[in-house]
Amino acid sequence: MRNFEKFWVSIALKIYRGFIIEQDLNPAEINYSKIKTILLVIRHQMGDMLCSVPMIMSVRNAFPSARIILVTKKSTRFEEIFKDVRSPVDEILYYESGIENFTYLVKALQDRTIDLAIIPSTVVFSGTNHLIAYHSKARIIAGVRSKDYEKNPVAYLLNI
């Protein structure tokens, strides 16, 4: 069943690409002082979250007064990782799966003004993570276009 689902998701993302206008931003032209709300989308497993902790801490250090929202899954065990220390994020939103939950999450994100969305890719590229960031209506959507010589099939949703 999982391979069948992956096949249809890959087809849907290819069709979806036809409706997206790609716009790359020049990092040198961004006014970083205007970044007030940051969305981090990290939804794989605990190992991916552990690999992302230095990045999360760097984002917090670079934007000490920004509001950081994390979209994650329970399986990342983020709250367990930070149970004995102050969390670098201000708000955690959980998204596991399902179109109804996706719609609810996107609506909740669109009710906020998100300036920067970051999608780290540690092991696999997640179309869902990229769609969450894209539909959050963040002005800046940062992620990786490739890793280990593998192209990101949803890099068209990024502008940095």
Side-chain angles (χ1 to χ4, degrees):
M1 183 64 175
R2 183 81 175 136
N3 287 335
F4 180 75
E5 181 182 329
K6 280 186 174 187
F7 170 76
W8 285 109
V9 167
S10 72
I11 296 293
L13 286 171
K14 287 176 185 170
I15 293 169
Y16 194 78
R17 183 178 191 160
F19 296 97
I20 303 298
I21 298 170
E22 293 184 54
Q23 292 183 303
D24 285 343
L25 297 176
N26 181 345
E29 295 174 359
I30 295 171
N31 184 348
Y32 293 95
S33 66
K34 289 190 175 191
I35 295 177
K36 305 294 181 206
T37 305
I38 300 169
L39 173 66
L40 303 174
V41 186
I42 308 168
R43 296 182 45 258
H44 293 294
Q45 302 297 324
M46 186 179 191
D48 300 282
M49 184 60 73
L50 287 171
C51 289
S52 299
V53 167
M55 186 257 338
I56 296 169
M57 300 306 287
S58 292
V59 169
R60 171 51 68 210
N61 290 336
F63 301 95
S65 63
R67 178 165 182 75
I68 299 178
I69 302 167
L70 172 68
V71 172
T72 193
K73 290 173 31 175
K74 295 279 186 190
S75 61
T76 65
R77 302 169 90 171
F78 180 82
E79 290 176 324
E80 245 180 85
I81 294 168
F82 284 96
K83 73 178 180 182
D84 294 328
V85 295
R86 185 168 179 255
S87 173
V89 304
D90 300 296
E91 182 179 6
I92 302 171
L93 299 174
Y94 289 99
Y95 171 72
E96 300 296 331
S97 64
I99 190 70
E100 186 176 316
N101 294 335
F102 180 85
T103 304
Y104 175 79
L105 174 66
V106 166
K107 174 72 174 105
L109 292 172
Q110 289 177 350
D111 287 344
R112 298 156 168 88
T113 301
I114 300 191
D115 302 302
L116 169 63
I118 302 172
I119 312 113
S121 297
T122 53
V123 177
V124 298
F125 297 113
S126 168
T128 304
N129 290 0
H130 285 70
L131 287 169
I132 290 168
Y134 180 79
H135 286 290
S136 74
K137 297 188 177 179
R139 291 184 303 114
I140 305 163
I141 305 171
V144 296
R145 296 202 186 271
S146 66
K147 65 172 185 55
D148 299 330
Y149 307 103
E150 175 189 359
K151 285 188 173 188
N152 180 350
V154 287
Y156 62 88
L157 295 170
L158 306 170
N159 55 21
I160 296 257

